[in-house]
Amino acid sequence: MNIQNIISEIAQFDSEVYDRLDSRRAAMRQFTRWGGRLALAAVPFALGSMFKKAYGQSSGGGITAVLNYALTLEYLEAEFYTKGAASGVVPAGTPAVGAINTIRDHENAHVVFLKNALNAMGATPVPKPTFDFTAGGAFANIFSNYDTFLAVAQTFEDTGVRAYKGRAAELITNNAVLTAALQIHSVEARHASHIRQMRKARGAGLKPWITGKDTGGIGAAVQASYNGEELTNQAGVDITKFVSANAASESFDEPLTAEQVLAIVKPFIV
Amino acid sequence: MENLHPVLPSAGNNDRLLPDKLGRRKFLTYCGLAASAATLAACKKDKDNNNMPPAGSIDLGMGDIGILNYAFALEQLEAAFYTQVVASPYSGITAGELALLTDIRDHEVAHREFFKAALGTKAIVSLEVNFSAVNFGSRDSVLATAKAFEDLGVSAYNGAGQLITDPAYLLLAGKIVSVEARHAAYIRDLISNGSFADNTVVDASGLDLASKPADVLMAAKPFLKSVLYAGNLPTA
């Protein structure tokens, strides 16, 4: 990105932009200071913060709240896969090891990215909660039984996809943050697809996509993560006019509200 | 389709994006008017707005409607591709592969028909495709093309999100893009197990691809006989 061009563009219709930014030199010095300290990926957020200060806009509250919400979910996933990969629950010498390591690395990268983004926007990242992946004993063998581990992994991924989707609209005023959230969202969906294939290879009856509100054989313990996925009417259009009811539900993933997601993950947070 | 009209207002834009970014008053001053939402949206777009499409090309249109037509075009391409894949399966296809490729065909048909119904009279025409570069008898050729289309679709929706002004459309795009990502991961794993999210599509920050319409349409161009014109799409 060319920061100077962006500022020049704004100067065309706001001749006071440099004053607003204290002075061109000070602004760029401030920006360079931020930029040097941050991962490159966080630079758009730092730029947003610079303009936010200059114009006194409060784009912060809602957006940083969503980012902290996302960070909480990413903490959950990152620690889950980090512990899982270290536990030996994933059969050694199989392709599963590489797949779980890949997902682990992505979730940890999401944690770093979101923390950087929040810091760049002048907000404070929420601290990592203490997790109990047995969910109070409901999944007591989480790190010793591979099928339990994959079942919880699937639920986290499918829930994560729905969680990002449910709050994307709150980011609509900030292009950089919205785009980054969408870029994380589709990675979670790739993970979900692969974990579901891993479970299928273990004999579970499911597909890479969600049919109706089916849990893929996991059952009532995770039903809340799938309720609502059975929708076959989109914006007033009955999708079953074109394809089967199963395909109609599979072809659109549905959002979850923050309240729904927090209820789902609550048993995993001490 | 009358019941859709509340969902799809004729003015495909609003000014929601502006206040947080530039300060509404300054922006209106720049535009030189106290604009209606539609004019304001037009002002927001690039200077080449309202370009005349070249003769014989299909204008995707402006604003949110333009973005929905852009998605409609991509879904038409994918649906046509998988319809052909299922109609003439590659040699050596397994029952499991055929079943899931049929699912994908149905999903893409659902997406295509959804956009067509939702856009109503604003929908672009049906596109003519060109799959002459694809060998439908070859697993390698079909899956390589499928992978390209799915990854392209994911990057297209990810890149288009910021161009959408209506939160309802943004949510719809979000509902579709994660299904495309599920497809992409499945197709990639068919080609090479474990490549569902490799570093050709996911960067070191764990972010998937996001592409601008111009880049996506350039990649799709060889597969289309129809010529699309994106010169009136929003660019920011």
Side-chain angles (χ1 to χ4, degrees), chain A residues 9-10 12-16 20 39 41 51 55 57-59 63 95 98-100 102-103 105-106 109-110 113 157-158 161 165-166 168-176 178-180 182-187 189-194 196-197 200 207-211 229 231 233-237 239 241-244 246-248 250-255, chain B residues 1 3-4 7 16-17 19-24 26-27 29-30 47 96 99-101 103-111 113-114 117-118 150-151 154 157-167 170-179 181-190 193-198 201-210 236:
Chain A
E9 283 278 317
I10 291 170
Q12 287 177 17
F13 54 86
D14 181 1
S15 57
E16 297 165 4
R20 291 175 185 277
F51 286 141
Y55 285 87
Q57 296 288 342
S58 59
S59 67
I63 285 171
I100 295 299
T102 295
I103 296 174
D105 292 348
H106 289 162
H110 293 162
F113 180 85
E157 297 295 348
D158 283 333
V161 171
K165 210 186 308 293
E170 294 176 58
L171 307 176
I172 202 163
T173 55
N174 188 318
N175 284 348
L178 172 62
T179 301
L182 291 172
Q183 289 174 285
I184 294 176
H185 168 248
S186 61
V187 170
R190 288 176 186 269
H191 295 170
S193 176
H194 189 79
R196 296 171 72 91
Q197 293 176 69
K200 186 181 183 188
K207 302 193 277 198
W209 25 92
I210 301 166
T211 308
E229 283 284 4
L231 195 66
N233 185 301
Q234 300 293 342
V237 180
I239 308 299
K241 286 190 301 183
F242 317 123
V243 295
S244 70
N246 278 350
E250 291 163 356
S251 55
F252 293 81
D253 280 340
E254 299 303 323
Chain B
M1 293 306 119
N3 60 332
L4 295 176
V7 184
R16 181 177 291 105
L17 283 169
D20 283 345
K21 301 183 76 177
L22 296 173
R24 184 187 175 96
K26 282 290 178 191
F27 195 85
T29 305
Y30 172 60
K47 307 160 199 80
L100 291 187
L101 289 169
D103 270 11
I104 297 178
R105 176 201 64 186
D106 289 349
H107 302 163
E108 307 299 5
V109 166
H111 296 162
E113 295 303 312
F114 165 74
E150 297 295 350
D151 284 340
V154 171
Y157 279 103
N158 282 348
Q162 64 170 296
L163 306 178
I164 296 172
T165 62
D166 186 321
L170 178 62
L171 176 58
L172 282 164
K175 290 181 178 204
I176 292 174
V177 64
S178 56
V179 175
R182 290 174 189 274
H183 294 168
Y186 170 66
I187 297 288
R188 289 174 143 269
D189 284 334
L190 281 184
N193 184 30
S195 67
F196 57 99
D198 69 20
V201 283
V202 180
D203 70 15
S205 294
L207 306 186
D208 212 325
L209 300 173

Side-chain angles (χ1 to χ4, degrees), chain A residues 23-228:
Chain A
S23 80
R24 178 170 167 167
R25 185 173 303 164
M28 291 314 294
R29 189 167 59 232
Q30 191 178 23
F31 179 77
T32 307
R33 184 160 50 83
W34 277 327
R37 215 171 54 206
L38 299 169
L40 184 61
V43 165
F45 302 100
L47 184 62
S49 178
M50 179 166 72
F51 286 141
K52 187 179 96 183
K53 286 179 183 173
Y55 285 87
Q57 296 288 342
S58 59
S59 67
I63 285 171
T64 57
V66 176
L67 290 177
N68 267 322
Y69 169 76
L71 176 59
T72 303
L73 298 177
E74 297 292 349
Y75 278 137
L76 174 79
E77 291 186 304
E79 186 168 309
F80 172 71
Y81 288 108
T82 299
K83 285 193 167 167
S87 70
V89 70
V90 183
T94 70
V97 173
I100 295 299
N101 287 348
T102 295
I103 296 174
R104 174 200 63 196
D105 292 348
H106 289 162
E107 308 300 7
N108 280 288
H110 293 162
V111 167
V112 171
F113 180 85
L114 291 168
K115 281 172 136 176
N116 281 342
L118 281 157
N119 284 324
M121 296 178 86
T124 305
V126 289
K128 183 166 71 71
T130 302
F131 297 113
D132 168 19
F133 295 106
T134 74
F139 303 106
N141 56 1
I142 182 73
F143 294 127
S144 57
N145 182 297
Y146 184 43
D147 291 310
T148 302
F149 176 76
L150 288 182
V152 172
Q154 175 195 309
T155 307
F156 283 167
E157 297 295 348
D158 283 333
T159 304
V161 171
R162 300 187 71 179
Y164 276 95
K165 210 186 308 293
R167 300 197 73 177
E170 294 176 58
L171 307 176
I172 202 163
T173 55
N174 188 318
N175 284 348
V177 175
L178 172 62
T179 301
L182 291 172
Q183 289 174 285
I184 294 176
H185 168 248
S186 61
V187 170
E188 303 294 349
R190 288 176 186 269
H191 295 170
S193 176
H194 189 79
I195 296 284
R196 296 171 72 91
Q197 293 176 69
M198 292 170 83
R199 289 194 64 240
K200 186 181 183 188
R202 301 277 298 170
L206 81 172
K207 302 193 277 198
W209 25 92
I210 301 166
T211 308
K213 57 179 179 183
D214 182 45
T215 63
I218 302 172
V222 302
Q223 188 60 57
S225 290
Y226 295 91
N227 286 341

Side-chain angles (χ1 to χ4, degrees), chain B residues 10-92:
Chain B
S10 56
N13 278 289
N14 56 44
D15 57 357
R16 181 177 291 105
L17 283 169
L18 293 174
D20 283 345
K21 301 183 76 177
L22 296 173
R24 184 187 175 96
R25 185 172 303 160
K26 282 290 178 191
F27 195 85
L28 290 174
T29 305
Y30 172 60
C31 289
L33 42 87
S36 70
T39 322
L40 186 58
C43 183
K44 176 164 69 74
K45 293 203 304 284
D46 67 1
K47 307 160 199 80
D48 298 321
N49 181 31
N50 285 326
N51 280 337
M52 284 295 290
S57 67
I58 298 164
D59 187 6
L60 293 171
M62 300 166 53
D64 281 356
I65 295 298
I67 296 300
L68 296 181
N69 266 320
Y70 164 60
F72 178 38
L74 295 176
E75 298 294 351
Q76 287 193 48
L77 182 62
E78 288 189 301
F81 171 73
Y82 287 106
T83 296
Q84 180 65 41
V85 169
V86 172
S88 57
Y90 51 77
S91 66

